[in-house]
Amino acid sequence: ILAFNRKKPSDPLVKMIDRECDDFNEWIKRYGTFIQNIRIISCKRENVWAQQPEKWSIAAIGIDTANRVLFIHSPSPHSPHDFINMLLALPIQIAQAMYVEGGTEAQLYIQTDTQEFEFIGGYENDHKGDDLIARPIPNVIGIKKRLVLLK
């Protein structure tokens, strides 16, 4: 469960709650917003997705050991099990992760003042050509930079 909108400054800005390691009843008091999805990397840094033959693009959200949020997208199709093993092998020190979407709905869109990026997903047997377009997506997680004035 991804928790944010903390109620006290002493809590992390974002917390990934794994009910095998964390008491959700305690954390629910400390945050205002929660998103639940399928965990793929447990609180013990273990791959929890069984191997399967199908491959597709994956969008995920993770937390590294420094408590930074990672928005992850793989446009290349992989089995989720293999994709998770690739994440665990990276030097980014990912601590936990949750699957948020797969296939054509696995998309990542980034817009800044000067740049725009759109990453589109697919399946193993999809035709990859210039005709790829973003599909309607079932869920959106949006973030916006905000100005914070320090006194």
Side-chain angles (χ1 to χ4, degrees):
I1 301 165
L2 185 67
F4 53 98
N5 210 3
R6 67 185 177 181
K7 295 179 179 177
K8 294 189 298 187
S10 58
D11 286 328
L13 286 171
V14 177
K15 167 79 174 153
M16 192 162 283
I17 301 164
D18 186 323
R19 295 179 75 166
E20 286 192 11
C21 295
D22 300 302
D23 180 0
F24 182 69
N25 291 323
E26 177 59 34
W27 288 104
I28 197 168
K29 301 171 195 170
R30 297 164 70 174
Y31 288 87
T33 307
F34 301 88
I35 298 172
Q36 181 177 352
N37 220 313
I38 303 167
R39 70 184 174 142
I40 57 176
I41 298 175
S42 75
C43 53
K44 299 173 185 171
R45 293 196 76 233
E46 294 174 342
N47 182 341
V48 295
W49 199 299
Q51 185 62 276
Q52 59 196 85
E54 296 87 5
K55 297 177 182 181
W56 58 83
S57 298
I58 297 170
I61 297 176
I63 301 281
D64 70 6
T65 55
N67 229 20
R68 292 175 291 222
V69 178
L70 309 169
F71 292 92
I72 304 162
H73 183 268
S74 172
S76 300
H78 299 284
S79 75
H81 181 85
D82 291 344
F83 175 73
I84 296 162
N85 283 341
M86 289 188 294
L87 289 177
L88 288 167
L90 290 172
I92 59 174
Q93 298 183 340
I94 191 165
Q96 293 174 263
M98 65 182 352
Y99 178 97
V100 291
E101 198 54 79
T104 53
E105 288 83 12
Q107 300 175 43
L108 178 63
Y109 177 79
I110 302 167
Q111 181 180 1
T112 70
D113 292 338
T114 59
Q115 295 181 306
E116 183 176 18
F117 302 95
E118 186 172 31
F119 303 97
I120 300 171
Y123 294 92
E124 182 176 21
N125 297 322
D126 283 351
H127 169 67
K128 296 287 185 189
D130 295 333
D131 58 342
L132 285 178
I133 58 167
R135 308 245 194 268
I137 52 176
N139 303 297
V140 174
I141 297 173
I143 59 171
K144 182 177 180 179
K145 183 179 178 180
R146 66 180 181 177
L147 181 61
V148 178
L149 298 175
L150 302 175
K151 294 180 180 184

